[in-house]
Amino acid sequence: MKAIVVGAGIVGSSVAYRLAQAGASVTLIEERGVGGGTSRVTFAWVNACEKLSSEAYYRLNFAGREAHARILEEFSDANWYHRPGVIQWQGAEAEAGGRDSAEPLDKLRQLQTWGYPAERLSHDDLHRLEPELNSEVVGNAPVILYPKDGWCDAVVYAGSVVGGAMERYGLTLVDAKVTGLKITAGRCDGVVLADGTVRTADIVVNCSGRWSNDVASEKEYQIPLAPTVGLIAYTQAAGVKLKRALRTPLVNMRPDGGGRFMLRSNELDKLVAADAAPTTDHPQAQELLRRARKTIPALEKIEVEAVRIAIRPIPKDSYSAIGPVPHLDGYYVAVTHSGVTLGPFIGEAVADEVINNRTRPELADFRPSRFFN
Ligand SMILES: Cc1cc2nc3c(=O)[nH]c(=O)nc-3n(C[C@H](O)[C@H](O)[C@H](O)COP(=O)(O)OP(=O)(O)OC[C@H]3O[C@@H](n4cnc5c(N)ncnc54)[C@H](O)[C@@H]3O)c2cc1C
């Protein structure tokens, strides 16, 4: 089978790797460099604990966590998945497709019932684990520790699995922009590139994230999206110890290597314009810094070193859209928020469906067909 995968973010690189491993002859087409899209600007918390709006969505994200562990074992030099734990306290906002955690102890009970590694942390234990934390910002809020959670360096991941697929399974990586699908007698049998070249395949998998509908320019094959803007501020190297990620009402923050911290907030994202320049004096970046300093007072003299802004690829109802697109054989799409959590699982599932003809039940509620009559 000849497959074309469009987009080498965390989703497309996972799909290309698994398809090639399963024996397909795979061409991966990417216009911005591997990991050059939204996967370059992400908090990248690999989790299912923010996905309680439906059990199916929780299970899907849980499968994402498990698939991360599996692909890790296939790369002896893997250095992208960090799992020191994540700490959360009251009032933290829901992610897309998530539920507001207004009742943290209800949430904890639900997660424990579903077998998620999560426990209540006493304030003394919190101080022992993260001594730099200002206990005043926590107040008397209940604190939850996800001891096995962490984050994935999505660009490192994408680079590694694409490199692995080239080396081991003969994947071809093409640096080009796809401008449309090639459709012959009602079937998708390839793509057209910006220079007019046509590439043919038995199956095209569109993993181009927020740009998905530019690749399929025909309206009848487009997934309705409701993208949102996200801003991430990166601090200077700080020499300050914070081991785990924090998800808090003020700021979400975590170590980002080299002593830097990554800062973000859903609340502040709502104030960011999609076309804003990602400058270090951006008001929301400065507000993130103020909140981070309040949370970790030792950051007092540390400044924002870089800012990045991205658009989240979110299907209109906030849930993933993964599967064949109705009325167009040969065309499959995988567009989702929480792509960092889900990417490795999507790779496995797409390979199973496309190569082995095995329908994956985990995807039953997340088919693109729900958007089409
Ligand atoms: C601020 C922020 C915080 C986030 N936090 C989390 C989190 O904590 N946990 C989590 O799981 N997720 C999180 N996400 C979401 C996650 O980052 C995305 O869902 C994920 O990166 C999407 O990956 P992707 O591979 O689908 O898209 P992308 O990474 O955007 O990859 C798509 C690729 O397609 C390429 N492409 C597009 N059009 C074309 C074309 N026409 N021709 C060729 N190539 C093309 C692009 O260049 C790009 O490289 C966050 C996102 C943001 C913005």
Side-chain angles (χ1 to χ4, degrees), residues 16-18 20-22 24-26 74 164-171:
Y17 176 81
R18 290 296 182 198
Q21 185 182 52
S25 162
V26 182
E74 296 177 33
M166 291 169 81
E167 231 174 83
R168 301 173 192 175
Y169 312 120
L171 175 107

Side-chain angles (χ1 to χ4, degrees), residues 51 53-61 63 97 223 315 317-324 332-337 342 345-346 353 360-371:
K51 314 293 160 50
S53 55
S54 89
E55 185 169 350
Y57 194 52
Y58 166 83
R59 298 272 170 224
L60 183 69
N61 281 272
I223 307 290
D317 60 4
S318 84
Y319 292 110
S320 314
I322 305 161
Y332 195 107
V333 76
V335 56
T336 186
H337 182 55
L342 293 171
F345 173 75
I346 294 172
E353 298 206 323
R360 294 294 296 247
E362 300 94 325
L363 296 176
D365 288 2
F366 307 104
R367 297 302 189 181
S369 56
R370 72 184 184 275
F371 294 114

Side-chain angles (χ1 to χ4, degrees), residues 235-241 257-261 296 298-299 301-303:
T235 69
Q236 296 170 324
V240 170
K241 191 174 158 227
R260 294 176 181 81
F261 292 99
I296 308 277
L299 294 178
K301 293 204 166 63
I302 295 303
E303 299 293 339

